Amino acid sequence: MKGIIMAGGRGTRLRPLTCDVPKPMVPLVGKPVLEYTIEWLKRFGVTDIAITIHYLGETIKQYFGDGSRFGVNICYFEEQEPLGTAGSIKHAESFIDDTFVVVSGDALTDVDLSEAIAFHRDRHALATIVTSQQANPLDYGGIIAANDGKVKQLIEKPKWNEVYSDFVNTGIYIFERDILQHINENETCDFSSDIFPMLLKNDAPLYAFLAKGYWLDIGTIQQYRKAHIDILNKHVHVSINGKELFPHVWVGADVQIEDGAVIIGPAFIGDGACIRKNVKIEPYTVIGANVQIGEHTSVKRSVIWDRVYIGRYCELRGSLLAGDTYVANHVELLEQSVIGSHCTIQPNVQVKPTIKIWPKKTIGEGTVVHSSLFWGKQALQPLFGTRGISGVANVEMTPEYVTKLGAAYGSTLPLHSHIIVAGDGHPFTNLMKQAFAQGLHTSGICTAEWQEGVTAPVVRYHLSQSPYAGGVYIFLEESEQKVYIDLYDEHGYPLDRFREKAVEHAFVQEKLRRVSLEQIGFSNYELQPSTSYIQAIHQHIALPLCHAKAIFVSDENVYRLVEQLLHDQQCDMAILKNAPLHELSEYLKTTNALFALIAKNDGEQFLVMDEKGNILTEEQLFFLYTIISLWFRADRSVPIPNYAPSTLEVIASRLNGQVKRVEGTRREILRAWPHPFHFLYDAVFAFVQLLQLFAVEARPLSQVIASIPRLHWLKDYVFCPWNARAVVMRKLMEDEIETNLDVSGGIKVWHPDGGWTFILPELDQPIFTIYSEAFDGQKARETVTRYIKKIRQYQNV
């Protein structure tokens, strides 16, 4: 059998290490990553190998040549332009004459290839995807397969609420030659996004083989570090150059270790290295060939490439140093710092944690390098949550952080686009607005900055009516001291997951567009943006509002909007600023008000209190939303979240309408609505709609709520660590595979008695929300409890 290694990638996520080295050639415990792949193929009898190359391909050709030095036969297929994973294989069509294996050149593995080949042949597959179990599958292609391995669904780089399995695509494939018939020549084409979905659609024999053994995609700095640790710990079955002098310490040829030097394993020292006296090499350190380390230097958990010189009295703590770099005396390289190749670090320099220094830079004597080129926190959860990006004010959400976010968002937009930048008017969020706008300007984006504090619905409305390319709304949740940055697309909807991924990639990987001075963006300042929003809401007032007495509670921004809206209505109502809930409840009981609405400062989130001082539940708000929508809209269809109670269908039927279930995210619910104002996501609009309801409804709110048809709809939460989510979701799917199952935005299980359970992994918290509906309250509670126990149990599998 022949093998093809795809080795054309640029390795942008490994920069600055890959600025002048192709990713498959980054050294890994004494030899390039690609060499481990060749040795792995050779171990299973694959000795005729083609390597597809593009970026710095000559480096690969010069090192491996015809492969004879490694006991294999190698030929090369060079792409002038990247053709994608499938396109590159089509480019090597002349090499292929039978069943063949494809593998990425930037992964480390010891899986049993012969088992995968036997699996492929037993099932007469056209294509077999070798899969691996990963606790955090967000950056990989997820796969759902039947018990016999037949692929049922592919989910490319899912969000947490789309993770239904911990089986991921390893980039190792076994194909029959007929696969080439499905790939067009000289066209960019990927297996994951193009070929496999097409095979799945055509019900072709596409299978997934779950491989036992070790597999790691070396795509990021963190994964690169992990690969070294795993090799040193012998967690992966590979050969290591050099002699193991004592357990977990390997030393190459012609190494000089002076008296007084201390080496604590696991560690590796490459050929020709010189370790001077009183040097201390601590665990998980890898030292390349011909490295010199001066007296009294301490090195811990660091990776040093070939031909690096390190002076005396230095401290390296978890650092990565690329080749041919000079480090003078008394230098400190702190945790997770990365130094590119051919750099000069002069004496008494301190490089702060997580800093990246690009190749061929000179750092002057005595410099403290603390301007971050790489934001090194690699949290398991993604950058975006259910409400954009958030962080503790002036701790996590700092001006420099927000400026970089602005540059990342701007870098995903066309040059010279115009963006709305708005906030709630708090002094700190005003500062964040300025920082975000400056980041946008550096990436060539112009801004329309609103001086006054506004609400999120005002921003969304303007985006729906004007030719802006997007927008940002920044607000402070004072009770949590957290800042939220909500990003919108050109239609006023929260970004979709692909746009979120693009912003996150630009932010984390420093792929920021830096334009020339002539292309720097600029600001336009706009006054009174709320006026047109108020005028538009007036168009949705069909009935006089003066018949209903109500209380509206909010901060300055939302308060001002309601005052403008009701200025000429002469309504009998009270508008209060931020009254505490317990005081409001007592006040409400002493008035004749029908209800109170308490809006948060973003103008989107709110609570409703009935005339008795009771806060309405989520279920009750869905009920009000449904009946109001059907009363005051000509369209007789109401979009509701897929986890909403089934009583809404009964209510809609009574009002000669219907409900349409959609994925329960803000974006999808807003997109399903025909105009920019939405009861569930606009406190001012919701207040107006409730006033209209009580202009015709004689009963108090509590009695209206009491008329809801009785079904028992419960909601509960269960903790689940980020790294256990994928396996928990897979186990839940396996449990319910024979039942009526829906996996749109979560897992919805229909029970034989007509009830259902919906399991929703939250995007920004390590919890699952469980909704359950049944005709009997005890049954609903038992079902919720059963799933909570399952989720807790599966965390320990």
Side-chain angles (χ1 to χ4, degrees):
M1 182 178 289
K2 293 182 177 181
I4 299 179
I5 302 174
M6 297 180 291
R10 290 181 174 272
T12 54
R13 293 182 296 165
L14 282 173
R15 287 178 179 173
L17 299 179
T18 52
C19 287
D20 48 14
V21 176
K23 182 164 65 166
M25 292 300 292
V26 295
L28 185 59
V29 191
K31 53 190 174 187
V33 173
L34 184 53
E35 189 170 339
Y36 290 98
T37 303
I38 291 172
E39 291 175 348
W40 175 72
L41 288 173
K42 180 183 174 184
R43 188 188 316 158
F44 294 102
V46 180
T47 55
D48 289 328
I49 298 170
I51 302 178
T52 64
I53 56 176
H54 172 62
Y55 176 67
L56 300 176
E58 283 299 317
T59 305
I60 296 174
K61 292 169 72 173
Q62 289 174 8
Y63 184 89
F64 291 102
D66 63 3
S68 57
R69 187 161 62 98
F70 304 92
V72 296
N73 304 310
I74 296 177
C75 62
Y76 301 90
F77 291 87
E78 186 166 4
E79 303 167 28
Q80 298 305 310
E81 294 294 334
L83 295 173
T85 54
S88 67
I89 300 307
K90 182 70 173 180
H91 187 57
E93 183 172 9
S94 61
F95 172 77
I96 302 165
D97 55 13
D98 201 348
T99 307
F100 63 102
V101 60
V102 173
V103 61
S104 172
D106 54 11
L108 181 67
T109 187
D110 64 4
V111 303
D112 191 330
L113 181 59
S114 61
E115 288 185 357
I117 293 170
F119 173 93
H120 174 85
R121 287 174 169 159
D122 286 347
R123 283 155 179 77
H124 304 287
L126 173 64
T128 295
I129 304 170
V130 177
T131 67
S132 175
Q133 288 182 271
Q134 296 291 315
N136 180 16
L138 296 188
D139 291 326
Y140 307 101
I143 294 176
I144 299 174
N147 292 334
D148 65 350
K150 185 77 180 291
V151 174
K152 296 297 185 184
Q153 189 172 351
L154 302 166
I155 305 172
E156 186 64 16
K157 296 186 178 179
K159 294 171 72 171
W160 270 122
N161 62 336
E162 298 168 320
V163 172
Y164 306 114
S165 174
D166 55 347
F167 292 177
V168 303
N169 183 346
T170 64
I172 302 171
Y173 310 125
I174 303 165
F175 293 123
E176 296 302 309
R177 195 179 192 281
D178 289 347
I179 194 70
L180 299 173
Q181 298 174 12
H182 299 274
I183 308 171
N184 294 328
E185 194 168 357
N186 296 322
E187 288 186 11
T188 300
C189 182
D190 281 310
F191 284 117
S192 294
S193 58
D194 301 308
I195 303 303
F196 293 154
M198 179 182 64
L199 296 180
L200 198 59
K201 181 179 179 181
N202 296 333
D203 198 29
L206 173 64
Y207 283 83
F209 170 75
L210 177 60
K212 298 176 182 178
Y214 180 95
W215 174 81
L216 177 68
D217 170 34
I218 305 175
T220 66
I221 294 292
Q222 285 67 32
Q223 290 163 336
Y224 180 62
R225 294 179 190 275
K226 183 179 184 333
H228 286 87
I229 292 171
D230 290 344
I231 290 175
L232 294 177
N233 281 332
K234 300 183 179 180
H235 290 165
V236 52
H237 178 58
V238 295
S239 64
I240 300 177
N241 291 341
K243 181 180 180 182
E244 191 171 5
L245 288 184
F246 43 92
H248 295 283
V249 174
W250 292 265
V251 176
D254 302 318
V255 170
Q256 180 182 355
I257 302 175
E258 295 186 350
D259 291 343
V262 176
I263 301 171
I264 306 172
F268 172 86
I269 302 173
D271 296 347
C274 178
I275 312 299
R276 300 294 183 185
K277 61 184 180 182
N278 299 316
V279 167
K280 187 172 185 180
I281 306 298
E282 298 199 47
Y284 301 109
T285 292
V286 172
I287 298 169
N290 301 305
V291 169
Q292 294 187 52
I293 302 181
E295 299 171 5
H296 299 282
T297 285
S298 171
V299 183
K300 180 186 292 186
R301 299 181 75 93
S302 296
V303 177
I304 304 168
W305 288 15
D306 297 350
R307 300 177 303 279
V308 171
Y309 176 90
I310 300 173
R312 296 179 290 114
Y313 294 98
C314 294
E315 291 191 15
L316 280 69
R317 297 291 180 265
S319 298
L320 294 179
L321 281 77
D324 301 290
T325 284
Y326 171 86
V327 179
N329 300 333
H330 298 281
V331 168
E332 291 182 76
L333 304 179
L334 300 182
E335 290 81 0
Q336 298 186 48
S337 55
V338 182
I339 314 298
S341 64
H342 299 91
C343 283
T344 298
I345 313 296
Q346 294 183 352
N348 299 300
V349 166
Q350 184 186 62
V351 178
K352 291 289 190 178
T354 76
I355 300 303
K356 283 183 176 180
I357 299 176
W358 254 239
K360 301 179 182 178
K361 299 293 187 294
T362 297
I363 308 299
E365 183 173 358
T367 302
V368 177
V369 184
H370 53 69
S371 56
S372 183
L373 295 175
F374 175 64
W375 208 267
K377 295 179 181 178
Q378 292 292 315
L380 285 173
Q381 60 268 40
L383 185 67
F384 284 83
T386 54
R387 190 69 193 274
I389 303 164
S390 64
V392 178
N394 220 22
V395 176
E396 297 169 304
M397 200 63 75
T398 60
E400 58 270 27
Y401 181 91
V402 173
T403 301
K404 186 178 172 186
L405 275 177
Y409 179 41
S411 298
T412 67
L413 298 169
L415 193 64
H416 304 311
S417 296
H418 287 253
I419 295 296
I420 293 176
V421 179
D424 64 1
H426 189 280
F428 187 76
T429 52
N430 286 340
L431 177 63
M432 296 298 98
K433 273 171 48 185
Q434 295 170 19
F436 196 93
Q438 289 166 1
L440 288 168
H441 295 162
T442 64
S443 63
I445 302 299
C446 302
T447 55
E449 295 183 46
W450 294 353
Q451 298 293 81
E452 68 178 77
V454 296
T455 65
V458 174
V459 178
R460 296 203 313 264
Y461 169 76
H462 275 268
L463 287 170
S464 72
Q465 304 298 309
S466 306
Y468 292 104
V472 58
Y473 179 73
I474 305 175
F475 68 97
L476 177 70
E477 178 60 70
E478 290 202 61
S479 62
E480 303 174 349
Q481 292 292 293
K482 288 184 73 173
V483 171
Y484 289 80
I485 297 180
D486 214 2
L487 300 181
Y488 307 112
D489 65 16
E490 65 274 21
H491 305 294
Y493 304 130
L495 299 185
D496 63 33
R497 65 186 180 96
F498 299 104
R499 294 278 295 275
E500 287 181 349
K501 286 282 187 182
V503 173
E504 185 168 356
H505 181 70
F507 179 78
V508 173
Q509 303 304 328
E510 299 280 347
K511 294 181 71 67
L512 307 177
R513 181 174 61 210
R514 300 299 189 190
V515 299
S516 66
L517 294 181
E518 295 79 11
Q519 294 179 315
I520 292 291
F522 56 85
S523 293
N524 289 315
Y525 296 95
E526 297 188 12
L527 301 176
Q528 298 182 324
S530 302
T531 303
S532 59
Y533 165 82
I534 293 297
Q535 292 171 347
I537 283 192
H538 269 288
Q539 304 302 313
H540 291 270
I541 299 178
L543 300 170
L545 304 181
C546 55
H547 298 296
K549 183 173 183 178
I551 298 171
F552 189 91
V553 182
S554 69
D555 76 344
E556 184 68 32
N557 291 333
V558 196
Y559 179 95
R560 189 173 59 250
L561 287 177
V562 175
E563 275 195 326
Q564 294 177 45
L565 180 68
L566 303 178
H567 177 69
D568 58 354
Q569 293 287 325
Q570 298 180 344
C571 297
D572 181 18
M573 63 184 64
I575 305 176
L576 309 177
K577 290 184 180 178
N578 290 334
L581 284 181
H582 66 280
E583 294 181 10
L584 178 63
S585 176
E586 295 302 316
Y587 175 74
L588 194 60
K589 294 173 186 177
T590 64
T591 69
N592 294 322
L594 297 171
F595 70 94
L597 189 145
I598 305 98
K600 294 196 174 182
N601 62 324
D602 65 337
E604 182 170 304
Q605 304 169 83
F606 63 91
L607 302 172
V608 176
M609 185 180 287
D610 71 15
E611 80 283 359
K612 296 180 179 180
N614 300 313
I615 297 291
L616 268 60
T617 65
E618 184 179 21
E619 178 185 12
Q620 292 164 346
L621 279 177
F622 284 147
F623 168 72
L624 287 178
Y625 158 64
T626 302
I627 63 171
I628 286 173
S629 298
L630 289 171
W631 276 18
F632 299 116
R633 283 180 57 233
D635 185 354
R636 308 306 294 170
S637 177
V638 182
I640 61 173
N642 44 13
Y643 53 80
S646 300
T647 50
L648 302 184
E649 292 159 354
V650 177
I651 293 164
S653 178
R654 289 179 181 177
L655 296 173
N656 297 317
Q658 61 181 0
V659 296
K660 176 187 176 184
R661 292 188 178 270
V662 299
E663 187 176 331
T665 62
R666 289 169 66 229
R667 174 179 170 83
E668 294 308 315
I669 295 173
L670 288 168
R671 285 184 67 222
W673 196 248
H675 60 72
F677 308 108
H678 198 291
F679 181 93
L680 295 176
Y681 296 106
D682 187 335
V684 174
F685 182 69
F687 188 62
V688 168
Q689 295 290 82
L690 286 168
L691 289 174
Q692 291 197 104
L693 172 67
F694 287 104
V696 295
E697 173 62 68
R699 296 173 298 172
L701 180 55
S702 62
Q703 291 184 23
V704 174
I705 294 299
S707 67
I708 300 175
R710 293 309 298 162
L711 267 179
H712 295 274
W713 186 80
L714 296 181
K715 176 181 178 181
D716 210 336
Y717 306 91
V718 59
F719 172 80
C720 180
W722 294 104
N723 62 358
R725 280 189 167 204
V727 69
V728 167
M729 291 296 279
R730 173 173 63 83
K731 294 292 289 181
L732 289 169
M733 292 276 291
E734 290 174 350
D735 281 354
E736 310 292 349
I737 201 68
E738 301 300 327
T739 65
N740 190 353
L741 200 65
D742 181 6
V743 292
S744 176
I747 296 178
K748 191 169 189 177
V749 183
W750 295 90
H751 304 306
D753 61 1
W756 52 261
T757 301
F758 189 88
I759 301 162
L760 177 67
E762 295 295 340
L763 289 178
D764 48 4
Q765 299 180 73
I767 62 173
F768 285 0
T769 302
I770 302 176
Y771 299 89
S772 191
E773 182 177 276
F775 293 97
D776 176 78
Q778 182 178 351
K779 179 69 173 178
R781 170 50 59 190
E782 288 174 353
T783 302
V784 168
T785 301
R786 184 172 80 251
Y787 278 98
I788 287 175
K789 288 180 178 178
K790 278 189 176 186
I791 290 169
R792 287 173 175 163
Q793 172 190 343
Y794 294 154
Q795 292 172 27
N796 301 315
V797 171

